[in-house]
Amino acid sequence: MFPVQFTNEIAALLGILIILSALYMQGQSFVDPTIRAILVQSFLLSTLFAILGIQSGDVELFYLAILTAIMRGVIVPRIMLYQVRKFKHSLRETGTGQRVPALIILAVIVIIVAYALFRVILEPYIPNSQVSVPFSLMLLGFLLIISRRNALVQMTGYVEAENAILYAGALITPSIPLLIEFAVVLDIFGVVIIGVILSAQRDVFHTLEPADIDQLSG
Amino acid sequence: MKSLDSTSLFVILLAAPAAAAGISLLPREGMEILSSLIGGAVAVVSSILILGTRVEGSFGYFYSDGLTQVMAVTISSIYFTSLAYSIFYIKHIKEPLFKFRWYYSLVDLFAFTMLLAVVVNDIGFIWIAVEATTVTSALLVALEREGTSIEAAWRYTLLVSAGLATSLLSVVLVYYSQGTLAISSLIGKHVADVPILALAVAFALIGYGTKAGIAPMHAWLPDAHSEAPSPVSAMFSGILLPTSLYAFARTFALLQGSPAFESMRNLAIGFGIFTALVAAVILGFQRNYKRMLAYSSMENMGIILVGLALGGVGAIGAVMQIVAHAFAKSSAFYESGNILAAYNSKNMSDVQGVVNRLRSTGYLFSLSALSVTGAPPFGVFIGEFLILAQAVNSGNLLLAALLGISYAYAFIALNRQSIRMIFGSGEDNNSNSTGLDNETNQPIKSSKEDRLSLAVPFINLLISLVIGIYMIPTLLQAAISFGL
C-alpha cells in the first residue's frame, strides 16, 4: 500500500517521539503531566503497531494496536488520574523539582549507554537497528522507578518499561501467538489491584510518598 | 485412552481451585471456607493421581514430566494446608483490608495460577501464569491493613512486575530463535540460533530470578514475607518461589547440549551461590522472626538454583529440596502465625521463652527451624547433601566449599536465634522471659492452644521428615556411586 521507505521513516519518527515522551516524563515533578505523557506514549506506540501492521500485512499487529490504545492509552491512565483527583490537588513530588537537571542528564546517559550496549550485545544477533529504541525505553522506565518516591510516578515507570517490551516484541517477532495481547489484557487486572493498594496507602499514610519504614529495612 | 484420562485429571486439577474461587464469593456464611477446602482437597487428590500415573509428554495444552508432577503435588498440598490454617489465623486479623470471602477467593486463584504455571505446555503461558500470580497475590500481602503491609504489597507488585517484564523479553527471544513456544516440541530438539537462546536464558534468569528472590533482585522478598498473613507467607515461601524457579528451569533446559550451555550454567550457579551466601549472612542479623524465615527461604532458593543448574544428582537434590522445604517452611510460618497471634509482635525481643506460654508451638517451631536449615534426617538435608555431592563430583571444589559455608552459617544463625526465642530466659530483662506476666506480675501460665493451629504445622513437619527418611536409599546410592 505504502512504499516501504515511507513506512520505515514513519516508524523511526514515532520511535524518536516515544523516546522524547520518556525524557519529558523524567523531567516532570508534577504527577498529572507524567500520567498524560504515558497516555501520549501509549497512543504513539499504538500508531507504530498499526504502521508495522500495514508494512507486514500482519493482522495480529492491528489487534495489538487497538488493544494498546484502549488499555494503555485510555483505561490505565484514567484509573491513575482518578487516583490523583482523589487528592483534590495537582500532586507535586517533593524534592524532584531541584533534581530535574540531574535527572535529565542521567536519562540522556542511560540512552547513550543503552544504545552502546545494544550495539555490542544485541545487534550481532538481532539485525534490526530500531530495536535499540525499545531497549533504551526499558532502561528509562526502570530509571523512573528507582529515581522517584511517588507511587503513581513509579507506576508510570512500570507502564513505560512494559511499553518497551511490547515495542521490542512487535519489532523482533510480530507473529508471536497471542502472548503479547495477553500481556496487555493482564495489565488491566494489575492496575485495578494497584488502585486498591494505592487507596489503602492514601487512607493509612495520607500520602503516596511514604517515608522509609524502619521495620522494612535490613 | 490413557492420554484422555491424564488430560481430564489436569483439567480437574485446574478447575477445582478456579471453581472454589468463584463459589467463595457467594454471599453465604461459611461458604468460602467450605468451597475452598473442597477445591483444595480435589486439587491434592488429582495431583497425586497424576503423580501416580507417571505419564510423560504432552496432552493438548498440558505438558507433564516428573518435575511437573512433583511441583503440582507440592503446590496443591501447601495450598490445602494454608487454607486449613487460615481458618484459625484470620480470626486474629482485626481490621482486614477486604472481606474474608475475598481472601479465600484470592487464595484459590493464587493457587490456580501457580498450578497453571507448572502444567502448561507453552513457555509463553508459563510467563502469563507467573505474571498472574503477582496479580492474585498482591492484595493478600496487604490484608492486615497496616502501613507496613501496604508498603510491602506495593514494593512486591512493582519490583516483581518490572522484573517479569524482562522475562517477557526472554519469551519473545525464544520464539524468535526457535519459532515455537511449545515445550514438547522444544525439548530434546537440536536448538537453532544458540546465541539468541543464551540471551533469552540470561533474561529469564533476571526476570524469574526477581520473583524467586535471587540476589540482588530480592529487595521485595523479606518485606512481603514478613507482612503477609502467615498462611500466605507459607504459600509465598513454600510454593511461589519454586514456581518461579520452575519457569526459569524450563527455559534453561532448552539450551542443553548446545555450546552456550556451560557459560549459562555458570551464570546461574554464580547467582545461586551468591544468593545463598548473602541470605545466610543477613539472616543472622534479623530481629523480626518472620523476616528471618524469609531470608532462610532465600538461602534455600539460592541452593536450589545451584542444584538445578548443576544437573544430574544435583537436580534430583534440588527437586527434593523444593518439596521438603515447602512442607518444612510452611510449618515454620504457621507456627510463627501462632506466636504472632499470641504475642502480637513480630519482634524477637518481645517474644522470649515461647515454650512457657505456647508449649507445643514452641517445640514445633524449633523443630521446623532445624528442618529448614537442613538438619538430618529431614528432607532438606537430603536435598542439600545431593547438591553438595554433585558439586564435589563435578570437580567444582570452590563451589562445594561455598555451599558448605552457607549451609553451616545458615544452620547456626537460624537455630541460635530460634533457640533463644523459644527457650530464652531473662537475659535481656524482658518481662515475658522472667516467667512473670508484665501486667499482672503473675507467673505466666501456658495458655491452651488451638488444636487446628497445631495439627496443620505438625502434619507438614512430619511430611518433611518422612520425605527425608524415604530418600535415604537414594542418598546412599549417590554417595556410593560417587565414592564418598
Side-chain angles (χ1 to χ4, degrees):
Chain A
M1 199 163 12
F2 293 101
V4 176
Q5 183 67 30
F6 179 69
T7 50
N8 267 346
E9 275 172 16
I10 297 275
L13 178 67
L14 283 168
I16 293 168
L17 289 176
I18 286 172
I19 285 290
L20 284 177
S21 70
L23 269 178
Y24 173 80
M25 283 161 66
Q26 294 290 344
Q28 254 315 321
S29 62
F30 286 94
V31 177
D32 248 70
T34 314
I35 298 173
R36 288 183 209 286
I38 201 77
L39 182 154
V40 171
Q41 189 181 84
S42 298
F43 274 113
L44 289 171
L45 192 64
S46 160
T47 317
L48 179 75
F49 290 156
I51 301 266
L52 290 175
I54 291 170
Q55 202 176 42
S56 65
D58 202 324
V59 191
E60 294 259 352
L61 281 167
F62 287 107
Y63 294 147
L64 187 60
I66 295 167
L67 264 178
T68 307
I70 296 173
M71 295 286 176
R72 312 178 78 84
V74 178
I75 298 177
V76 172
R78 187 156 279 222
I79 293 175
M80 291 169 79
L81 286 171
Y82 171 79
Q83 293 288 339
V84 174
R85 254 179 279 123
K86 282 261 190 100
F87 274 94
K88 295 195 181 73
H89 54 86
S90 191
L91 278 176
R92 185 167 190 180
E93 208 177 10
T94 41
T96 307
Q98 296 92 315
R99 290 191 298 145
V100 163
L103 285 174
I104 295 273
I105 292 171
L106 201 58
V108 171
I109 293 173
V110 164
I111 294 175
I112 294 169
V113 169
Y115 184 69
L117 277 178
F118 172 80
R119 288 299 294 267
V120 176
I121 302 175
L122 294 174
E123 194 155 39
Y125 313 117
I126 302 170
N128 182 349
S129 65
Q130 280 192 31
V131 179
S132 67
V133 179
F135 194 61
S136 309
L137 192 65
M138 183 175 84
L139 294 186
L140 286 174
F142 290 153
L143 176 66
L144 203 56
I145 293 175
I146 59 174
S147 66
R148 304 300 188 88
R149 302 192 70 103
N150 185 291
L152 280 168
V153 179
Q154 290 181 331
M155 196 177 147
T156 58
Y158 167 63
V159 175
E160 183 169 276
E162 232 185 23
N163 271 349
I165 307 284
L166 301 182
Y167 190 167
L171 285 179
I172 297 174
T173 158
S175 59
I176 189 159
L178 274 172
L179 182 75
I180 291 188
E181 283 88 339
F182 259 109
V184 178
V185 175
L186 203 61
D187 256 15
I188 198 69
F189 296 108
V191 169
V192 170
I193 299 288
I194 284 170
V196 176
I197 295 178
L198 289 182
S199 304
Q201 212 172 56
R202 201 180 44 234
D203 292 347
V204 174
F205 293 121
H206 308 288
T207 169
L208 291 180
E209 300 170 43
D212 285 332
I213 302 175
D214 269 355
Q215 286 137 291
L216 296 185
S217 57
Chain B
M1 192 60 208
K2 189 89 188 161
S3 89
L4 181 78
D5 289 346
S6 304
T7 310
S8 33
L9 278 176
F10 278 115
V11 172
I12 294 169
L13 175 70
L14 292 177
I23 299 169
S24 292
L25 292 179
L26 295 179
R28 200 129 165 228
E29 189 76 22
M31 195 59 150
E32 66 274 19
I33 298 178
L34 186 68
S35 69
S36 298
L37 281 178
I38 293 174
V42 172
V44 172
V45 171
S46 49
S47 66
I48 291 175
L49 288 177
I50 292 172
L51 182 69
T53 60
R54 295 203 173 259
V55 282
E56 300 220 348
S58 64
F59 311 94
Y61 296 110
F62 307 114
Y63 179 79
S64 170
D65 63 6
L67 184 59
T68 296
Q69 292 158 10
V70 170
M71 287 295 295
V73 172
T74 312
I75 293 171
S76 45
S77 312
I78 302 299
Y79 159 51
F80 181 70
T81 54
S82 277
L83 283 172
Y85 183 73
S86 296
I87 299 172
F88 162 78
Y89 186 77
I90 61 173
K91 282 187 269 181
H92 297 275
I93 300 174
K94 300 280 177 292
E95 243 192 292
L97 185 65
F98 42 86
K99 289 201 178 97
F100 290 138
R101 204 183 291 151
W102 282 95
Y103 167 79
Y104 281 103
S105 181
L106 281 170
V107 168
D108 295 333
L109 280 178
F110 183 32
F112 166 76
T113 48
M114 282 187 282
L115 287 169
L116 182 67
V118 298
V119 300
V120 284
N121 181 19
D122 187 303
I123 290 195
F125 272 92
I126 291 180
W127 179 82
I128 290 170
V130 173
E131 174 90 350
T133 59
T134 315
V135 176
T136 49
S137 59
L139 285 183
L140 291 173
V141 177
L143 179 72
E144 297 190 8
R145 204 181 172 277
E146 282 159 24
T148 44
S149 59
I150 292 164
E151 176 65 11
W154 174 251
R155 286 188 193 176
Y156 166 58
T157 318
L158 190 75
L159 289 178
V160 168
S161 307
L164 285 179
T166 328
S167 23
L168 177 59
L169 196 57
S170 149
V171 176
V172 168
L173 292 176
V174 169
Y175 187 77
Y176 175 62
S177 59
Q178 310 300 315
T180 173
L181 289 175
I183 297 171
S184 50
S185 43
L186 283 167
I187 276 187
K189 202 182 95 174
H190 179 72
V191 284
D193 232 340
V194 171
I196 293 193
L197 194 58
L199 208 61
V201 170
F203 278 124
L205 180 62
I206 303 291
Y208 295 125
T210 308
K211 186 131 199 175
I214 296 304
M217 294 87 72
H218 66 280
W220 66 274
L221 184 145
D223 298 344
H225 279 69
S226 71
E227 295 308 318
S230 290
V232 176
S233 309
M235 287 176 83
F236 267 59
S237 176
I239 48 184
L240 177 65
L241 308 181
T243 301
S244 194
L245 282 183
Y246 167 91
F248 167 70
R250 283 290 182 218
T251 313
F252 179 63
L254 303 181
L255 264 185
Q256 208 132 32
S258 76
F261 183 68
E262 202 55 39
S263 55
M264 282 302 128
R265 187 219 295 256
N266 289 337
L267 187 70
I269 290 176
F271 270 97
I273 193 70
F274 178 66
T275 305
L277 288 170
V278 165
V281 170
I282 303 178
L283 198 158
F285 297 104
Q286 292 308 306
R287 279 160 306 184
N288 170 331
Y289 51 90
K290 283 185 83 180
R291 279 182 92 81
M292 177 178 79
L293 292 177
Y295 278 111
S296 154
S297 303
M298 204 178 129
E299 191 240 1
N300 273 287
M301 291 309 129
I303 293 166
I304 291 167
L305 178 60
V306 170
L308 287 173
L310 281 172
V313 174
I316 296 172
V319 176
M320 242 23 268
Q321 197 173 344
I322 287 178
V323 183
H325 170 259
F327 283 99
K329 187 53 71 58
S330 60
S331 172
F333 270 114
Y334 300 149
E335 287 131 15
S336 78
N338 292 353
I339 297 173
L340 183 59
Y343 285 83
N344 211 9
S345 167
K346 291 174 189 156
N347 214 325
M348 280 192 251
S349 57
D350 299 335
V351 183
Q352 296 275 318
V354 174
V355 276
N356 298 327
R357 193 159 150 191
L358 304 170
R359 198 174 173 74
S360 315
T361 298
Y363 285 118
L364 279 173
F365 187 89
S366 47
L367 281 176
S368 301
L370 284 171
S371 171
V372 294
T373 47
F378 287 102
V380 174
F381 164 74
I382 310 279
E384 289 187 343
F385 181 88
L386 291 176
I387 294 168
L388 185 65
Q390 178 72 32
V392 173
N393 193 47
S394 60
N396 203 337
L397 292 180
L398 176 66
L399 176 65
L402 291 175
L403 276 174
I405 291 172
S406 75
Y407 294 172
Y409 196 93
F411 184 86
I412 295 169
L414 200 146
N415 288 301
R416 201 183 61 132
Q417 302 248 51
S418 129
I419 288 170
R420 207 188 285 164
M421 178 171 126
I422 302 297
F423 304 100
S425 55
E427 261 169 58
D428 29 1
N429 199 22
N430 186 293
S431 54
N432 282 336
S433 50
T434 57
L436 295 176
D437 194 290
N438 42 350
E439 274 141 32
T440 55
N441 243 19
Q442 299 288 314
I444 293 173
K445 272 182 279 169
S446 125
S447 41
K448 196 164 169 356
E449 295 168 69
D450 189 292
R451 279 221 193 107
L452 180 69
S453 79
L454 295 175
V456 178
F458 175 74
I459 290 169
N460 278 13
L461 189 61
L462 195 65
I463 293 174
S464 110
L465 180 67
V466 170
I467 291 167
I469 293 169
Y470 175 75
M471 286 302 287
I472 285 177
T474 317
L475 178 89
L476 294 177
Q477 216 173 18
I480 292 164
S481 71
F482 287 164
L484 290 172

